[in-house]
Structures are given as structure tokens and as C-alpha cells.
Amino acid sequence: MKEDLKQPHLKHELGLLDGTMLVAGSMIGSGIFIVSADITRNVGSAGWLIVVWLITGFMTLTAALSYGELSGMFPKAGGQYVYLKEIYNKLMGFLYGWSFFAVIQTGTIAAVGVAFSKFTAYLIPAVSEDNILFNLGFIKISAAQIVSIGVIILLTFINTRGVKSGKIIQTTFTLTKILSLFGLIIFGFWALNNNTWHLNWSNAWTLHKLNTDGSFVEYTTVAALGAIAASMVGSIFSSDSWNSVTFIAGEMKNPKRDVALSLFLGTMIVTLIYVAANVMYTAVLPLHDIATADKDRVAVSASHVIFGNGGTIVIAVMIMISTFGCNNGLIFAGARVYYTMAKDGLFFKKTGTLNKFSVPEFGLWIQALVASILCLSGKYGDLLDMISFVVVLFYVLTIIGIYKLRITRPDAERPYKAFGYPVLPAIYIVMGIAFCILLIIYKPNFTWPGLGIVLLGIPIYYFSQRNSKDEVPATTDN
């Protein structure tokens, strides 16, 4: 017991502002500056572009408000992994944790890293994805991929030095990018072009595929649903990682109150920014220009119209700040899941240890390793497809669990209750299931592999349990 008392413990150093900045900072990365181009190509109209973001915003807010109930019931490190384990069983918790490690968190870190390098290349062409440094035959490694991996390693190192280091970066970078985005939106509306606005909104509710040559392809009813689902891949990725604050509940000063409030405040701020930014895009750029922006960098095209040549440099720097801060939040939060899993005997034992700065250093470095390997894929869109399907699948399972817990644990303490229960969570479940089914049909190349990675966790779980001599009890220090 004396030795246990001397061991490092998770420190309760994070407050409501820190939690809110983690939610907003982890959500606002690269997507809002890029994915509107692909959404516009899929839906072909300004009205449906905004609808896709509104649907995504509704789903995100509903899920966040639903998670508020679970965060109050289980205010400990690990977040969604803990919820799924408590709702269902250890296998379900492990499948989420395994998917989180193999695809969800590491894939998101990789995708944001790739996006960081895209905008760095705008300022420094030498680090472009077109600059191939190594051609190994089966894989080509570009300067952009090296930059992506370098940023991941740097941020991982910073986060091994303690909670305060990561917290300072997160709050500073998040406030900077929120203020910068508000500035871009305000100046964008100031520069509104009446002709562009009228052209974009005169036929705003016709849903069709917009080709890069300006021609349209009409959808059948079923294909239209598939187009909306395909469009939402980008917007859901851009709005994801809002649940990061649940992973670090063990380091919050008042987790029963502040986790739920951080979820609400962070997702509301980001949803408002995202919708406003896309309305601004339609105010300054013709729809065709949004769809055909160079390398999908819509924000750079918009800032060129708003500020001129100098403005594009400013916006590129701003986006680099945004993606840098986003990845800091993702890296900071992710390792806490592996830490809690290890304490439950469901992950590498060493991941359940803390270094002298009271952070799970081993978990941080193995996360960095997998994310760096995924960076070598270099394909932003492919990572989005795989991540979006898997993450929504687990969101649906978690929100279904709210209904299950109301039945199985009716007397459990619930400092917060899911807003709009039972209607709003049910709507999310229906929409989430529809989204996953449509992605399986219309984007099978990466959704099936994503599902395969989840299912691969089943034999891994039983193999690990068979070879585990002792059950390791969950900690009470978080």
C-alpha cells in the first residue's frame, strides 16, 4: 500500500474553460476549411450545403447532450470506453477501445496531420504532397507526410511533460482560432457579393451532383439519400472529437458538472461557427468555385476574395494554428482511454502506468506510432470515410445505452439527464443507423474495412483474456 501511495496519480487540474476549449479545439481542425468543396460537389446547391451542416450540427448537439447524462453517471477517465463497458460488457468496451486505437483517434490524428501539411505547403511548396522524397515501389513518401509525422511526434513529446503543458497549448490555440474564424466570417459578410449571393441562392434547393466542369447530374431518390450521406462524411469528421473531454474526466476538478457543461458549450460554439462559415462561403464564392477550390482549400479561396493575396497567407497560417491546436487536443485526450483500459486488464499493461509528470507516456507514444503509420496513407478523404462510419456506429450504440440504463439502473445518480429524452436521442439513433447503412452501400471501399477492424477486436479480446493470468481491477484514482 505504501508503494501505491507513492505512485503518480492523475491530477485534477482542469476546469470548465479547459474542458470547453478541449471540446471546441478538438472539433475545429481542418475540416471546416476543406470539406465544403466535396459536400458541394455531392449536393450541387447552396441550400443543401447548409442543410448538410445543419443536420450534422443537430446530430452533434443531440449526441453531446445525451452524453451529458453518461458523463455524470461515470465521471472517470476513459469516457466512451467506460460508458460502453458499463452499459453492455467488457467485450463491447474493448471493441470501442480497440477501434479507437486502430482507427478512430489515431486516424483522426493522422487526417488532421495530413491537413496541417496541406496548408503548410501553401506557404512552403517544398513540403507539398507532390514532392516525393522516397519511392519504395509499394509506397511513396512525400514531404507532406514527413511534416505530418513530425508534428505528431512534437505534440506527443510536449504532452508527455504533464497536463499543464498540453492545457496551455490547447487553450491558447483554441481561443486564437475561434477569434480568427469569427474575424473571417465577419469580414466575409462585409465583402458579400450581391451577384454571387443571388446566383448561389436563386436555385438553392435542387439536389444534384455538381461536376468540376460546371455540369449537373440529376439524382434518383435513393441516390439522393446516398449523396447526402456521402456529403456528411466530411461534416461529421469536422464535427467529431467533441467527446474528447469525457476521456480526461479523471483530471477535471468537478467532472460531474463540468464535463456535461463543456460538451454543451463546446459543441454549440462550433456548430454556430460552422454554419456561419458556410453561409459566408456562399456569399463570396460562386458555387462552382467552392466545388473546384484548389486541393479543396475553400477557406483559402474565400480569403483571397475577401483580403486579396496577402489574406490567403494569413488564412493559411490561421489554419495551420487550427490544425496544430486540434491535434494537441486529440493527442492529449486519446491516451487516457488506453490508460483506463490497461487498468481494467484490457490493454498493454505498461499503458496503465504514469510517468513522473502524472501522464500516461507509453500510451501517448504508441498512439503516435499508429497515427504516424496512418499518415503514410496520405489520403485525407480515405481516412474520413473509414473514421466517420466507425465513430457514428459507436455513438449510436452508446446512445442506445441511455435507454438501457434507464431500465437497468433507474435509481443511479444522474446529475444531468439527456435533453429531449426519449425523442431526441431516438432521432439521433435513427439518423445514425441510416447514415451507416448508406455509407456501406455508397462508400464500401473503406466502410467495410472500418467494420472489419472493429470485428477483428473480437478474437483479439478473447485471445488476450485467455492469456491473462489475473484480472486487473479498475483504478479508483481517477
Side-chain angles (χ1 to χ4, degrees):
M1 286 296 293
K2 291 181 180 179
E3 289 183 1
D4 289 338
L5 290 173
K6 294 179 181 178
Q7 293 299 315
H9 296 279
L10 293 175
K11 295 181 179 179
H12 302 278
E13 295 183 345
L14 304 175
L16 178 59
L17 176 63
D18 302 314
T20 303
M21 291 299 99
L22 180 61
V23 173
S26 298
M27 289 175 72
I28 305 173
S30 53
I32 186 59
F33 308 107
I34 296 175
V35 302
S36 293
D38 185 62
I39 295 172
T40 302
R41 290 192 292 268
N42 276 298
V43 299
S45 65
W48 279 101
L49 169 65
I50 304 305
V51 166
V52 166
W53 285 100
L54 286 172
I55 292 172
T56 303
F58 169 79
M59 290 181 68
T60 303
L61 278 167
T62 300
L65 290 169
S66 298
Y67 271 49
E69 177 169 323
L70 297 172
S71 69
M73 293 179 70
F74 310 110
K76 61 179 75 172
Q80 192 167 351
Y81 155 73
V82 173
Y83 308 158
L84 287 165
K85 188 189 72 168
E86 294 287 346
I87 292 165
Y88 300 104
N89 49 44
K90 288 177 68 175
L91 171 60
M92 185 64 79
F94 175 82
L95 289 179
Y96 174 76
W98 155 254
S99 303
F100 186 83
F101 176 68
V103 181
I104 298 172
Q105 196 77 349
T106 49
T108 305
I109 291 168
V112 175
V114 170
F116 175 88
S117 64
K118 272 192 175 187
F119 288 99
T120 304
Y122 185 82
L123 300 177
I124 310 170
V127 298
S128 167
E129 57 195 332
D130 299 324
N131 182 11
I132 305 300
L133 300 179
F134 308 100
N135 188 343
L136 305 179
F138 64 95
I139 189 172
K140 294 178 180 179
I141 301 176
S142 69
Q145 289 166 312
I146 298 299
V147 170
S148 305
I149 292 169
V151 168
I152 290 169
I153 292 172
L154 172 63
L155 287 171
T156 298
F157 173 75
I158 291 171
N159 276 280
T160 63
R161 315 313 287 174
V163 172
K164 287 184 179 179
S165 300
K167 180 176 79 169
I168 291 169
I169 289 178
Q170 194 61 34
T171 301
T172 303
F173 276 72
T174 301
L175 287 173
T176 300
K177 63 185 172 184
I178 287 175
L179 292 173
S180 300
L181 266 169
F182 273 125
L184 176 65
I185 292 165
I186 291 167
F187 281 107
F189 283 121
W190 184 265
L192 182 147
N193 184 309
N194 287 323
N195 291 332
T196 298
W197 179 266
H198 178 73
L199 184 65
N200 285 340
W201 288 92
S202 60
N203 190 24
W205 305 107
T206 302
L207 182 63
H208 44 218
K209 184 176 180 61
L210 176 59
N211 295 320
T212 53
D213 62 4
S215 62
F216 297 99
V217 177
E218 298 294 335
Y219 290 122
T220 63
T221 303
V222 176
L225 293 174
I228 293 170
S231 300
M232 288 177 61
V233 166
S235 59
I236 283 179
F237 170 80
S238 304
S239 303
D240 192 30
S241 301
W242 50 265
N243 59 337
S244 291
V245 70
T246 68
F247 306 144
I248 52 93
E251 289 150 290
M252 297 288 284
K253 296 174 184 176
N254 187 356
K256 290 188 177 182
R257 185 198 71 168
D258 289 348
V259 172
L261 280 175
S262 297
L263 284 167
F264 170 70
L265 293 172
T267 53
M268 177 61 76
I269 290 168
V270 175
T271 298
L272 291 174
I273 289 174
Y274 281 3
V275 173
N278 278 275
V279 174
M280 181 274 291
Y281 290 154
T282 68
V284 297
L285 292 173
L287 211 62
H288 180 263
D289 289 1
I290 297 174
T292 59
D294 181 42
K295 298 186 185 299
D296 287 355
R297 294 184 289 220
V298 179
V300 172
S301 297
S303 64
H304 186 273
V305 174
I306 298 166
F307 302 114
N309 291 332
T312 57
I313 295 174
V314 171
I315 200 72
V317 171
M318 188 194 95
I319 296 167
M320 289 170 63
I321 290 171
S322 178
T323 48
F324 189 86
C326 176
N327 248 355
N328 179 73
L330 296 170
I331 290 166
F332 171 65
R336 275 62 181 175
V337 176
Y338 323 132
Y339 169 79
T340 305
M341 289 178 68
K343 288 296 185 181
D344 290 341
L346 296 177
F347 210 67
F348 303 118
K349 186 176 180 180
K350 192 173 180 181
T351 317
T353 61
L354 302 176
N355 66 9
K356 63 181 180 180
F357 299 105
S358 298
V359 295
E361 181 173 357
F362 184 75
L364 284 163
W365 283 119
I366 60 171
Q367 175 180 257
L369 175 63
V370 175
S372 297
I373 292 170
L374 291 175
C375 276
L376 296 178
S377 73
K379 295 186 177 180
Y380 187 87
D382 294 345
L383 289 172
L384 296 193
D385 292 341
M386 188 181 292
I387 294 164
S388 298
F389 171 76
V390 174
V391 79
V392 171
L393 179 66
F394 279 108
Y395 285 156
V396 168
L397 288 170
T398 306
I399 292 175
I400 288 173
I402 294 173
Y403 295 86
K404 185 174 184 292
L405 289 174
R406 290 285 184 104
I407 297 170
T408 58
R409 303 188 191 182
D411 299 324
E413 181 185 4
R414 290 176 172 84
Y416 289 93
K417 292 190 176 181
F419 180 77
Y421 180 91
V423 177
L424 289 184
I427 292 173
Y428 181 93
I429 291 166
V430 171
M431 293 174 73
I433 291 172
F435 172 78
C436 290
I437 291 172
L438 288 167
L439 276 193
I440 288 174
I441 296 170
Y442 289 98
K443 286 206 167 187
N445 290 344
F446 281 85
T447 49
W448 279 113
L451 182 59
I453 288 172
V454 176
L455 297 178
L456 180 62
I458 296 175
I460 291 174
Y461 170 80
Y462 284 110
F463 179 79
S464 66
Q465 291 301 289
R466 188 185 67 181
N467 287 277
S468 178
K469 295 180 180 179
D470 301 297
E471 286 292 324
V472 183
T475 64
T476 58
D477 66 359
N478 54 12

